[in-house]
Coordinates of all heavy atoms in Angstrom, one line a residue:
M96 N -43.6 22.2 27.7 CA -43.7 22.5 29.2 C -43.2 21.4 30.0 O -43.0 20.3 29.5 CB -45.2 22.9 29.5 CG -46.1 21.6 29.7 SD -47.8 22.1 29.9 CE -47.8 23.0 31.4
S97 N -43.0 21.6 31.3 CA -42.6 20.5 32.1 C -43.7 19.5 32.2 O -44.8 19.8 31.9 CB -42.2 21.0 33.5 OG -43.3 21.7 34.1
E98 N -43.4 18.3 32.7 CA -44.5 17.3 32.8 C -45.5 17.7 33.8 O -45.2 18.0 34.9 CB -43.8 16.0 33.1 CG -42.9 15.4 32.1 CD -42.3 14.1 32.5 OE1 -42.4 13.7 33.7 OE2 -41.6 13.5 31.7
V99 N -46.7 17.6 33.3 CA -47.9 17.8 34.3 C -48.7 16.6 34.3 O -49.2 16.2 33.2 CB -48.7 19.1 33.9 CG1 -49.9 19.2 34.7 CG2 -47.8 20.4 33.9
Y100 N -48.9 16.0 35.5 CA -49.7 14.9 35.6 C -51.1 15.3 36.2 O -51.1 16.1 37.1 CB -49.1 13.8 36.4 CG -47.8 13.2 35.7 CD1 -46.6 13.7 36.0 CD2 -48.0 12.3 34.7 CE1 -45.4 13.3 35.3 CE2 -46.8 11.8 34.1 CZ -45.6 12.3 34.4 OH -44.5 11.8 33.7
C101 N -52.1 14.7 35.8 CA -53.5 15.1 36.3 C -54.4 13.9 36.1 O -54.4 13.1 35.1 CB -54.0 16.2 35.3 SG -55.7 16.7 35.8
T102 N -55.2 13.7 37.1 CA -56.1 12.5 37.1 C -57.5 12.9 36.7 O -58.5 12.1 36.8 CB -56.2 11.8 38.5 OG1 -56.5 12.8 39.4 CG2 -54.8 11.2 38.8
V103 N -57.7 14.1 36.3 CA -59.1 14.6 36.0 C -59.4 14.2 34.5 O -59.3 15.0 33.6 CB -59.2 16.2 36.2 CG1 -60.6 16.6 36.0 CG2 -58.7 16.5 37.6
N104 N -59.9 13.0 34.4 CA -60.0 12.4 33.0 C -61.2 12.8 32.2 O -61.4 12.4 31.1 CB -59.8 10.9 33.1 CG -61.0 10.2 33.7 OD1 -61.8 10.9 34.4 ND2 -61.2 8.9 33.5
D105 N -62.1 13.7 32.8 CA -63.2 14.2 32.0 C -62.8 15.6 31.4 O -63.6 16.3 30.8 CB -64.4 14.3 32.7 CG -64.4 15.3 33.9 OD1 -63.2 15.6 34.5 OD2 -65.4 15.9 34.3
C106 N -61.5 16.0 31.5 CA -61.0 17.3 30.9 C -60.6 17.0 29.5 O -60.0 15.9 29.1 CB -59.8 17.8 31.7 SG -59.1 19.3 31.0
H107 N -60.8 18.0 28.6 CA -60.5 17.9 27.2 C -59.0 17.6 27.0 O -58.6 17.0 26.1 CB -60.9 19.2 26.6 CG -60.4 19.4 25.1 ND1 -60.8 18.6 24.1 CD2 -59.4 20.3 24.7 CE1 -60.1 19.1 23.0 NE2 -59.3 20.1 23.3
Y108 N -58.1 18.1 27.9 CA -56.7 18.1 27.8 C -56.1 16.8 28.4 O -54.9 16.7 28.3 CB -56.0 19.3 28.4 CG -56.5 20.6 27.7 CD1 -57.3 21.5 28.3 CD2 -56.1 20.9 26.4 CE1 -57.8 22.6 27.7 CE2 -56.5 22.0 25.7 CZ -57.4 22.9 26.4 OH -57.8 24.0 25.7
W109 N -56.9 16.0 29.1 CA -56.3 14.8 29.8 C -55.9 13.8 28.8 O -56.5 13.6 27.7 CB -57.4 14.2 30.7 CG -57.0 13.0 31.4 CD1 -56.4 13.0 32.6 CD2 -57.1 11.7 31.0 NE1 -56.1 11.7 33.0 CE2 -56.5 10.9 32.1 CE3 -57.6 11.0 29.9 CZ2 -56.5 9.5 32.0 CZ3 -57.6 9.6 29.9 CH2 -57.0 8.9 30.9
G110 N -54.8 13.1 29.1 CA -54.3 12.0 28.2 C -54.0 10.8 29.0 O -53.8 10.8 30.2
Q111 N -53.8 9.7 28.3 CA -53.5 8.4 28.8 C -52.3 8.5 29.7 O -51.3 9.2 29.4 CB -53.2 7.3 27.7 CG -54.5 6.9 27.0 CD -55.5 6.2 27.9 OE1 -55.1 5.4 28.9 NE2 -56.7 6.4 27.7
G112 N -52.3 7.8 30.9 CA -51.1 7.8 31.8 C -51.3 9.0 32.7 O -50.3 9.4 33.4
N113 N -52.4 9.6 32.7 CA -52.7 10.8 33.5 C -51.8 12.0 33.2 O -51.2 12.6 34.1 CB -52.7 10.4 35.0 CG -53.8 9.6 35.4 OD1 -54.9 9.7 35.0 ND2 -53.5 8.6 36.3
V114 N -51.5 12.1 32.0 CA -50.7 13.2 31.5 C -51.5 14.4 31.0 O -52.5 14.1 30.1 CB -49.8 12.8 30.3 CG1 -49.0 13.9 29.7 CG2 -48.8 11.7 30.8
C115 N -51.2 15.6 31.3 CA -51.9 16.7 30.7 C -51.4 17.0 29.4 O -50.2 17.2 29.3 CB -51.8 17.9 31.7 SG -52.5 19.4 31.0
K116 N -52.2 17.1 28.4 CA -51.7 17.4 27.0 C -51.9 18.8 26.6 O -51.7 19.1 25.5 CB -52.5 16.5 26.1 CG -52.3 15.0 26.3 CD -51.0 14.6 25.7 CE -50.9 13.1 25.6 NZ -49.6 12.7 25.0
A117 N -52.2 19.7 27.5 CA -52.3 21.1 27.2 C -51.0 21.7 27.0 O -50.0 21.3 27.7 CB -53.1 21.9 28.3
N118 N -50.8 22.6 26.0 CA -49.4 23.2 25.8 C -49.1 24.1 26.9 O -47.9 24.5 27.1 CB -49.3 23.8 24.4 CG -50.2 25.1 24.3 OD1 -51.2 25.2 25.0 ND2 -49.8 26.0 23.4
K119 N -50.1 24.6 27.6 CA -49.8 25.4 28.8 C -51.1 25.4 29.6 O -52.2 25.1 29.1 CB -49.5 26.9 28.4 CG -50.6 27.5 27.5 CD -50.2 28.9 27.1 CE -49.1 28.8 26.0 NZ -48.8 30.2 25.4
I120 N -50.9 25.6 30.9 CA -52.1 25.7 31.9 C -51.9 26.8 32.8 O -50.8 27.3 33.0 CB -52.3 24.3 32.6 CG1 -51.1 24.1 33.6 CG2 -52.5 23.2 31.7 CD1 -51.4 22.9 34.6
L121 N -53.0 27.1 33.4 CA -53.0 28.2 34.5 C -53.6 27.6 35.8 O -54.7 27.1 35.8 CB -53.8 29.4 34.1 CG -54.0 30.5 35.2 CD1 -52.6 31.1 35.5 CD2 -54.9 31.5 34.7
V122 N -52.8 27.6 36.8 CA -53.2 27.2 38.1 C -53.4 28.4 38.9 O -52.6 29.3 38.9 CB -52.2 26.2 38.8 CG1 -52.7 25.9 40.2 CG2 -52.0 24.9 38.0
A123 N -54.6 28.5 39.6 CA -54.9 29.7 40.3 C -55.6 29.4 41.6 O -55.9 28.2 41.8 CB -55.7 30.7 39.4
S124 N -55.9 30.4 42.4 CA -56.7 30.2 43.6 C -58.2 29.8 43.1 O -58.6 30.2 42.0 CB -56.7 31.4 44.5 OG -57.4 32.4 43.9
D125 N -58.9 29.1 44.0 CA -60.3 28.8 43.7 C -61.1 30.1 43.5 O -61.9 30.2 42.6 CB -60.9 28.1 44.8 CG -60.5 26.6 44.8 OD1 -59.8 26.2 43.8 OD2 -60.8 25.9 45.8
D126 N -60.8 31.1 44.3 CA -61.5 32.4 44.2 C -61.4 33.0 42.8 O -62.3 33.5 42.2 CB -61.1 33.4 45.3 CG -61.5 33.0 46.7 OD1 -62.4 32.1 46.8 OD2 -60.9 33.5 47.7
F127 N -60.1 33.0 42.3 CA -59.9 33.6 41.0 C -60.6 32.8 39.9 O -61.2 33.3 39.0 CB -58.4 33.6 40.7 CG -58.0 34.2 39.4 CD1 -57.8 35.5 39.3 CD2 -57.8 33.4 38.3 CE1 -57.5 36.1 38.1 CE2 -57.4 34.0 37.1 CZ -57.3 35.3 37.0
G128 N -60.4 31.4 40.0 CA -61.1 30.5 39.1 C -62.6 30.7 39.0 O -63.2 30.8 37.9
D129 N -63.2 30.9 40.2 CA -64.7 31.1 40.3 C -65.2 32.4 39.7 O -66.2 32.5 39.2 CB -65.1 31.0 41.7 CG -65.2 29.6 42.3 OD1 -65.2 28.6 41.4 OD2 -65.2 29.4 43.5
S130 N -64.2 33.4 39.7 CA -64.8 34.7 39.4 C -64.4 35.1 37.9 O -64.9 36.2 37.5 CB -64.1 35.7 40.3 OG -62.7 35.8 40.2
Q131 N -63.6 34.3 37.2 CA -63.2 34.8 35.9 C -63.8 33.9 34.8 O -64.0 32.7 35.0 CB -61.6 34.7 35.8 CG -60.9 35.5 36.8 CD -61.2 37.1 36.6 OE1 -61.2 37.5 35.5 NE2 -61.5 37.7 37.7
P132 N -64.1 34.5 33.6 CA -64.6 33.8 32.5 C -63.6 32.8 31.9 O -62.4 32.9 32.2 CB -65.1 34.8 31.5 CG -64.1 36.0 31.8 CD -63.9 35.9 33.3
D133 N -64.1 31.9 31.0 CA -63.2 30.9 30.4 C -62.1 31.5 29.6 O -61.0 31.0 29.5 CB -64.0 30.0 29.5 CG -65.0 29.1 30.2 OD1 -64.8 28.9 31.4 OD2 -65.9 28.6 29.5
Q134 N -62.3 32.7 29.1 CA -61.2 33.3 28.2 C -60.1 33.8 29.0 O -59.0 33.9 28.5 CB -61.9 34.6 27.5 CG -62.8 34.2 26.4 CD -64.3 33.8 27.0 OE1 -64.5 34.0 28.1 NE2 -65.1 33.3 26.1
I135 N -60.2 33.9 30.3 CA -59.0 34.3 31.2 C -58.3 33.0 31.5 O -58.8 32.2 32.3 CB -59.5 35.0 32.5 CG1 -60.3 36.3 32.1 CG2 -58.4 35.3 33.4 CD1 -59.5 37.3 31.4
D136 N -57.2 32.8 30.9 CA -56.5 31.5 31.1 C -55.0 31.7 30.8 O -54.5 32.8 30.9 CB -57.1 30.5 30.1 CG -57.1 29.1 30.7 OD1 -55.9 28.6 31.1 OD2 -58.1 28.5 30.9
A137 N -54.3 30.6 30.5 CA -52.9 30.6 30.5 C -52.2 31.5 29.5 O -51.1 32.0 29.8 CB -52.4 29.2 30.3
T138 N -52.8 31.8 28.4 CA -52.2 32.6 27.3 C -51.8 34.0 27.8 O -50.9 34.6 27.2 CB -53.1 32.6 26.1 OG1 -54.4 33.1 26.5 CG2 -53.2 31.3 25.5
M139 N -52.6 34.5 28.8 CA -52.2 35.9 29.3 C -51.8 35.9 30.8 O -52.0 36.9 31.4 CB -53.5 36.8 29.0 CG -53.8 36.9 27.6 SD -55.0 38.2 27.2 CE -56.4 37.8 28.4
A140 N -51.4 34.7 31.2 CA -51.1 34.5 32.6 C -50.2 35.6 33.2 O -50.3 36.0 34.4 CB -50.5 33.2 32.9
S141 N -49.2 36.1 32.5 CA -48.2 37.0 33.0 C -48.9 38.4 33.3 O -48.3 39.2 34.1 CB -47.0 37.2 32.1 OG -47.5 37.8 30.9
Q142 N -50.0 38.6 32.8 CA -50.7 39.9 33.1 C -51.6 39.9 34.4 O -52.0 41.0 34.8 CB -51.6 40.3 31.9 CG -50.8 40.4 30.6 CD -51.8 40.6 29.4 OE1 -52.8 41.2 29.5 NE2 -51.4 40.2 28.2
Y143 N -51.8 38.8 35.0 CA -52.7 38.7 36.2 C -51.9 38.9 37.4 O -50.7 38.5 37.5 CB -53.4 37.4 36.2 CG -54.0 37.0 34.9 CD1 -54.0 35.7 34.5 CD2 -54.7 37.9 34.1 CE1 -54.7 35.3 33.3 CE2 -55.3 37.5 32.9 CZ -55.3 36.2 32.5 OH -55.8 35.8 31.4
S144 N -52.5 39.5 38.4 CA -51.9 39.6 39.8 C -51.9 38.2 40.4 O -52.8 37.4 40.1 CB -52.8 40.6 40.6 OG -52.8 41.8 40.0
P145 N -50.9 38.0 41.2 CA -50.8 36.7 41.9 C -52.1 36.5 42.8 O -52.7 37.5 43.3 CB -49.6 36.9 42.9 CG -48.8 37.9 42.1 CD -49.7 38.8 41.5
T146 N -52.4 35.2 42.9 CA -53.7 34.9 43.6 C -53.3 33.9 44.7 O -53.4 32.7 44.6 CB -54.8 34.4 42.8 OG1 -54.3 33.1 42.2 CG2 -55.1 35.3 41.6
P147 N -53.0 34.4 46.0 CA -52.6 33.5 47.0 C -53.7 32.5 47.4 O -54.9 32.8 47.2 CB -52.3 34.4 48.2 CG -52.3 35.8 47.7 CD -53.0 35.8 46.4
S148 N -53.2 31.3 47.8 CA -54.2 30.3 48.2 C -54.5 30.5 49.7 O -54.1 31.5 50.3 CB -53.6 28.9 48.1 OG -52.7 28.7 49.2
K149 N -55.3 29.7 50.2 CA -55.6 29.8 51.7 C -54.7 28.8 52.5 O -55.2 28.3 53.5 CB -57.1 29.6 51.9 CG -58.0 30.6 51.2 CD -59.4 30.5 51.5 CE -60.2 31.7 51.0 NZ -61.0 31.4 49.8
G150 N -53.6 28.5 51.9 CA -52.7 27.7 52.6 C -52.8 26.2 52.4 O -52.4 25.4 53.3
S151 N -53.6 25.8 51.5 CA -53.9 24.4 51.3 C -54.1 24.2 49.7 O -54.6 25.0 49.0 CB -55.3 24.0 52.0 OG -55.8 22.8 51.5
C152 N -53.7 23.0 49.3 CA -53.9 22.7 47.9 C -55.4 22.6 47.6 O -55.8 22.8 46.4 CB -53.2 21.3 47.5 SG -53.9 19.9 48.4
M153 N -56.2 22.5 48.6 CA -57.7 22.4 48.3 C -58.2 23.7 47.9 O -59.3 23.8 47.5 CB -58.3 21.9 49.6 CG -58.0 20.5 50.0 SD -58.2 19.3 48.6 CE -60.0 19.3 48.6
S154 N -57.5 24.8 48.0 CA -58.0 26.1 47.6 C -57.3 26.6 46.3 O -57.3 27.8 46.0 CB -57.7 27.1 48.7 OG -56.4 27.3 49.0
T155 N -56.7 25.6 45.6 CA -56.2 26.0 44.3 C -56.9 25.2 43.2 O -57.5 24.1 43.5 CB -54.7 25.7 44.1 OG1 -54.5 24.3 44.1 CG2 -53.9 26.4 45.2
C156 N -56.9 25.6 42.0 CA -57.6 24.9 40.9 C -56.8 25.1 39.6 O -56.1 26.0 39.4 CB -59.0 25.4 40.7 SG -59.1 27.1 40.0
C157 N -57.2 24.1 38.6 CA -56.6 24.3 37.3 C -57.7 25.1 36.5 O -58.8 24.6 36.2 CB -56.5 22.9 36.6 SG -55.9 23.1 34.9
K158 N -57.3 26.3 36.2 CA -58.2 27.2 35.5 C -58.4 26.8 34.0 O -59.3 27.2 33.4 CB -57.6 28.7 35.5 CG -58.5 29.7 34.8 CD -59.8 30.0 35.6 CE -60.6 31.1 35.0 NZ -61.1 30.8 33.7
S159 N -57.4 25.9 33.6 CA -57.5 25.5 32.1 C -58.4 24.3 31.9 O -58.6 23.9 30.8 CB -56.1 25.2 31.7 OG -55.2 26.3 32.0
Y160 N -59.0 23.8 33.0 CA -59.9 22.6 32.8 C -61.0 23.0 31.9 O -61.6 24.0 31.9 CB -60.5 22.2 34.1 CG -61.7 21.3 34.1 CD1 -61.5 19.9 33.9 CD2 -63.0 21.8 34.0 CE1 -62.6 19.1 33.8 CE2 -64.1 21.0 33.9 CZ -63.9 19.6 33.8 OH -64.9 18.8 33.7
V161 N -61.3 22.1 30.9 CA -62.5 22.2 30.0 C -63.1 20.9 29.9 O -62.5 19.9 29.6 CB -62.0 22.7 28.6 CG1 -63.2 22.8 27.7 CG2 -61.3 24.0 28.6
P162 N -64.4 20.8 30.2 CA -65.1 19.5 30.0 C -65.0 18.9 28.6 O -65.2 19.6 27.6 CB -66.6 19.8 30.4 CG -66.6 21.2 31.0 CD -65.4 21.9 30.5
R163 N -64.6 17.6 28.5 CA -64.4 17.0 27.2 C -65.7 17.0 26.5 O -66.8 16.8 27.1 CB -63.9 15.6 27.4 CG -63.6 15.0 26.1 CD -63.1 13.5 26.1 NE -62.2 13.3 27.2 CZ -62.4 12.4 28.2 NH1 -63.5 11.8 28.3 NH2 -61.5 12.3 29.1
G164 N -65.7 17.3 25.2 CA -66.9 17.1 24.3 C -67.8 18.3 24.4 O -68.9 18.3 23.8
T165 N -67.4 19.4 25.0 CA -68.2 20.6 25.0 C -67.7 21.6 24.0 O -66.7 21.5 23.4 CB -68.2 21.3 26.4 OG1 -66.9 21.8 26.6 CG2 -68.6 20.3 27.5
N166 N -68.6 22.6 23.8 CA -68.2 23.7 22.8 C -67.3 24.7 23.5 O -67.0 25.8 22.8 CB -69.4 24.3 22.2 CG -70.3 25.0 23.3 OD1 -69.9 24.9 24.4 ND2 -71.4 25.5 22.8
K167 N -66.8 24.5 24.6 CA -65.9 25.4 25.3 C -64.5 25.2 25.0 O -63.6 26.0 25.5 CB -66.1 25.3 26.9 CG -67.6 25.7 27.3 CD -67.6 25.6 28.8 CE -69.0 26.0 29.3 NZ -69.0 25.9 30.8
I168 N -64.1 24.2 24.2 CA -62.7 23.9 24.1 C -61.9 24.9 23.3 O -60.7 24.9 23.4 CB -62.5 22.5 23.3 CG1 -63.1 22.6 22.0 CG2 -63.1 21.4 24.2 CD1 -62.9 21.3 21.1
N169 N -62.5 25.9 22.6 CA -61.7 26.9 22.0 C -61.8 28.3 22.7 O -61.3 29.2 22.1 CB -62.3 27.1 20.5 CG -62.0 25.8 19.7 OD1 -61.0 25.2 19.8 ND2 -63.0 25.5 18.9
N170 N -62.4 28.3 23.9 CA -62.5 29.6 24.6 C -61.2 30.1 25.1 O -61.0 31.2 25.4 CB -63.6 29.4 25.7 CG -65.0 29.3 25.2 OD1 -65.2 29.5 24.0 ND2 -65.9 29.1 26.1
D171 N -60.2 29.1 25.4 CA -59.1 29.6 26.1 C -57.8 29.7 25.4 O -56.7 30.1 25.9 CB -58.8 28.5 27.3 CG -58.7 27.1 26.7 OD1 -58.5 26.9 25.5 OD2 -58.8 26.2 27.6
N172 N -57.9 29.5 24.1 CA -56.6 29.6 23.2 C -55.5 28.7 23.6 O -54.4 29.0 23.4 CB -56.2 31.1 23.1 CG -57.2 31.9 22.3 OD1 -57.7 31.5 21.3 ND2 -57.5 33.1 22.9
I173 N -55.8 27.6 24.2 CA -54.8 26.6 24.6 C -54.9 25.5 23.5 O -55.9 25.1 23.1 CB -55.1 26.1 26.0 CG1 -54.9 27.2 27.0 CG2 -54.2 24.9 26.3 CD1 -55.2 26.8 28.4
T174 N -53.7 24.9 23.2 CA -53.6 23.9 22.2 C -53.4 22.6 22.9 O -52.7 22.4 23.9 CB -52.4 24.1 21.3 OG1 -52.5 25.4 20.7 CG2 -52.3 23.0 20.2
K175 N -54.1 21.6 22.4 CA -54.0 20.1 22.9 C -52.9 19.5 22.1 O -53.0 19.4 20.8 CB -55.3 19.4 22.8 CG -55.1 18.0 23.4 CD -56.5 17.3 23.4 CE -56.3 15.9 24.1 NZ -57.7 15.2 24.2
M176 N -51.8 19.1 22.7 CA -50.7 18.4 22.1 C -51.0 16.9 21.8 O -51.8 16.3 22.5 CB -49.5 18.5 22.9 CG -49.0 19.9 23.2 SD -47.6 20.1 24.2 CE -48.1 19.3 25.8
T177 N -50.5 16.3 20.7 CA -50.8 15.0 20.4 C -49.7 14.1 21.1 O -48.7 14.5 21.5 CB -50.7 14.8 18.9 OG1 -49.5 15.2 18.3 CG2 -51.9 15.6 18.2
Ligands
LIG406 S1 -55.9 21.2 31.8 FE1 -55.8 21.0 34.0 S2 -57.6 19.7 34.5 FE2 -57.2 19.5 32.3 S3 -55.8 17.7 32.1 FE3 -54.5 19.5 32.3 S4 -54.0 19.8 34.5 FE4 -55.8 18.4 34.3

């Protein structure tokens, strides 16, 4: 994937240099992120309807975020690259 930088260092996919190590991610509106379970993520992204923001980066989120060290890391079928 193209380079994705992220400063959210409590995410399972975060890497040194603020690099996202996920093989794919899904960015969506906050409303979509709030309403969907962990299994709804990047692997099936082409099947979802577009989710407009409210005109601000503050109303978008990384749906692929997973807290590091939790048992949720396998819920989204995303691979962490080395
Ligand atoms: S999955 Fe999202 S929150 Fe996690 S490191 Fe990558 S861009 Fe950041």
Side-chain angles (χ1 to χ4, degrees):
M96 80 186 299
S97 60
E98 293 179 353
V99 174
Y100 294 97
C101 177
T102 59
V103 184
N104 69 344
D105 63 334
C106 177
H107 169 68
Y108 299 110
W109 181 88
Q111 290 296 322
N113 291 323
V114 174
C115 175
K116 296 286 194 174
N118 68 333
K119 55 185 74 172
I120 65 170
L121 174 62
V122 176
S124 68
D125 284 352
D126 291 342
F127 182 85
D129 282 343
S130 65
Q131 299 298 318
D133 291 343
Q134 289 78 10
I135 301 298
D136 212 302
T138 53
M139 299 192 307
S141 63
Q142 300 176 30
Y143 309 142
S144 298
T146 62
S148 75
K149 296 185 172 105
S151 165
C152 63
M153 298 304 292
S154 59
T155 69
C156 69
C157 178
K158 182 71 177 67
S159 305
Y160 167 84
V161 178
R163 187 185 313 121
T165 67
N166 60 3
K167 296 181 175 182
I168 60 175
N169 295 320
N170 287 355
D171 53 16
N172 291 316
I173 293 174
T174 301
K175 184 174 182 177
M176 300 180 296
T177 56

